[in-house]
Amino acid sequence: MTTPDEGSSRRIADHWGDDRRGDFYAGGGLYWTQLPAVQRRINEKVSGDPARDWVDHLVATHLPGRCPVARTASLGCGYGHQDREVVARGVTRRVVGYDISEGALARARRLADEAGLQGIEYIAADVNALRLEEGAFDLVLASGALHHLTDLEAVAETIAGGLREGGLLVADEYVGPNRFAYSDRQMALINEALALLPERYRRSVSFARTGRVGPGAERGPMAWALLAWMKLRSGTLLAALRRRLGMARLRKKGEALVRTEVRRIAASELALDDPSEAVRSADILPVLGEYLDLVEVRPYGGSILMPLLDDIAGNFEGDDPEAGELLRRLFAFEDEAIASGEIGSDYAFIVACRRT
């Protein structure tokens, strides 16, 4: 495997460094893990207790009596949420965060300063080509980062070398199909779950907020032309144009955009904005197992809930009893599909150490 070429690296950095994207997701209600009920569900699957999150679980189970550790590396740190958590909660004294996007790092620095946190340093680097100092880190964090990497073998090797004796890799990752290439059965289950929801729970949150779907980062003329060509070749151009015209009519009337289906995203279109998205996600666990000892792997689902709740999660916020009951039904639906073997778990919490 090779690292991304210069053009791809620039697109990745620009994609994640666009402040509109950070502001868009910071508004909440768009992503499945922004829902408190989903957070409690994940906590229970990771720690066994809905009230104990991954940080509490890490400290109690894997670092008893050792905190704060001296030094932590954070790979693909993005806006630095996990870095602020481990410093603020006394897990580590110092974090060095690495990310390819200068824009994302600028936002991470600003948020750390606003929180009044000391001991967090950020360095711009392509994690695919990063070489950690030998035996320098007590912890290596990767939160939603490994599935953006092409050279997983080199990264796993440098993690193993960078950990001190007793050091740990702690990863919270999408480990499902590459480029979200869901099976036909998984797509069918996602849309069956969508059909369970009344219309008011299927309204696009981003459309209601901005009159468009998604974070609103601008594509240049060449990117739009390439996207149109991709859709023409795949036979989806006319359907896409109809959707855009339909959204224009809804905007004019001031009406809501209601989701009627979850569509599979073509890998080529996904890579147009972010060439790194889920590029080798299905390889993460096998590759880590080659270079490190897997201490703990806690699958926590997301195979249905993540694509289903994308851009409609905000409709379930608050203390609405109906929303709570619908979420419980969706949780049971996903659990049953995974338990039956129809689909796997697309997300996992992972702890690993140097091979002994």
Side-chain angles (χ1 to χ4, degrees):
M1 285 292 170
T2 59
T3 57
D5 59 43
E6 185 177 346
S8 295
S9 296
R10 187 167 53 250
R11 294 213 309 279
I12 296 165
D14 290 346
H15 178 78
W16 291 105
D18 190 330
D19 240 10
R20 288 168 298 184
R21 176 171 295 278
D23 292 341
F24 176 76
Y25 284 104
L30 297 153
Y31 197 61
W32 68 304
T33 55
Q34 292 174 324
L35 288 175
V38 171
Q39 293 167 9
R40 291 191 295 271
R41 168 182 168 82
I42 294 172
N43 290 348
E44 185 166 23
K45 289 185 177 294
V46 170
S47 73
D49 182 346
R52 188 168 73 171
D53 67 8
W54 71 271
V55 177
D56 292 331
H57 175 65
L58 173 67
V59 171
T61 306
H62 301 287
L63 298 173
R66 293 174 56 188
C67 293
V69 298
R71 197 173 184 215
T72 296
S74 180
L75 307 185
C77 57
Y79 305 136
H81 173 74
Q82 69 277 8
D83 314 329
R84 296 188 297 276
E85 282 286 299
V86 293
V87 170
R89 294 168 68 174
V91 179
T92 185
R93 293 191 183 92
R94 184 183 176 199
V95 174
V96 184
Y98 303 92
D99 199 278
I100 197 171
S101 173
E102 285 277 16
L105 293 179
R107 188 181 185 92
R109 291 187 189 99
R110 183 172 72 248
L111 292 171
D113 288 343
E114 289 172 358
L117 296 173
Q118 303 295 319
I120 303 178
E121 174 189 3
Y122 288 114
I123 298 173
D126 180 354
V127 176
N128 286 288
L130 182 66
R131 294 297 174 263
L132 295 175
E133 181 185 348
E134 188 75 17
F137 296 98
D138 302 280
L139 290 175
V140 175
L141 302 180
S143 180
L146 299 180
H147 74 271
H148 287 280
L149 303 178
T150 55
D151 203 346
L152 286 171
E153 291 79 5
V155 173
E157 184 176 20
T158 196
I159 290 170
L163 287 172
R164 292 174 178 156
E165 188 68 30
L168 297 172
L169 165 69
V170 181
D172 185 354
E173 280 297 334
Y174 170 73
V175 293
N178 295 349
R179 301 290 196 193
F180 304 111
Y182 301 140
S183 67
D184 290 343
R185 183 55 183 156
Q186 187 169 351
M187 290 302 304
L189 287 167
I190 293 166
N191 280 292
E192 283 180 34
L194 182 68
L196 297 173
L197 303 179
E199 181 178 304
R200 72 187 184 98
Y201 294 100
R202 293 185 279 113
R203 294 174 180 172
S204 166
V205 173
S206 60
F207 188 83
R209 185 186 297 172
T210 66
R212 61 195 302 172
V213 175
E218 296 294 334
R219 291 190 179 103
M222 290 298 294
W224 278 116
L226 182 56
L227 179 61
W229 173 245
M230 290 175 178
K231 289 186 177 296
L232 180 64
R233 290 191 62 185
S234 65
T236 60
L237 180 60
L238 285 177
L241 290 173
R242 288 192 203 99
R243 286 194 297 272
R244 291 184 68 83
L245 288 171
M247 284 191 285
R249 286 193 291 269
L250 291 172
R251 279 194 298 270
K252 187 175 181 179
K253 295 179 180 179
E255 295 178 358
L257 174 64
V258 178
R259 199 175 195 184
T260 57
E261 66 172 327
V262 178
R263 295 184 298 276
R264 185 186 283 110
I265 303 173
S268 57
E269 294 179 19
L270 189 68
L272 183 62
D273 290 324
D274 181 5
S276 74
E277 185 61 76
V279 62
R280 291 186 64 197
S281 50
D283 298 331
I284 290 172
L285 283 170
V287 170
L288 290 181
E290 290 178 15
Y291 290 85
L292 298 136
D293 285 340
L294 297 177
V295 177
E296 178 180 56
V297 178
R298 297 277 185 170
Y300 62 83
S303 320
I304 292 172
L305 294 173
M306 190 283 281
L308 171 68
L309 293 174
D310 183 50
D311 197 26
I312 64 171
N315 299 316
F316 296 85
E317 291 177 336
D319 298 323
D320 179 3
E322 182 184 19
E325 178 57 29
L326 285 169
L327 284 174
R328 284 189 288 273
R329 290 173 63 188
L330 293 175
F331 296 166
F333 186 88
E334 180 177 87
D335 285 342
E336 184 177 342
I338 292 173
S340 69
E342 290 187 90
I343 57 173
S345 173
D346 280 355
Y347 287 81
F349 176 77
I350 305 159
V351 178
C353 66
R354 294 180 67 159
R355 179 142 291 155
T356 56

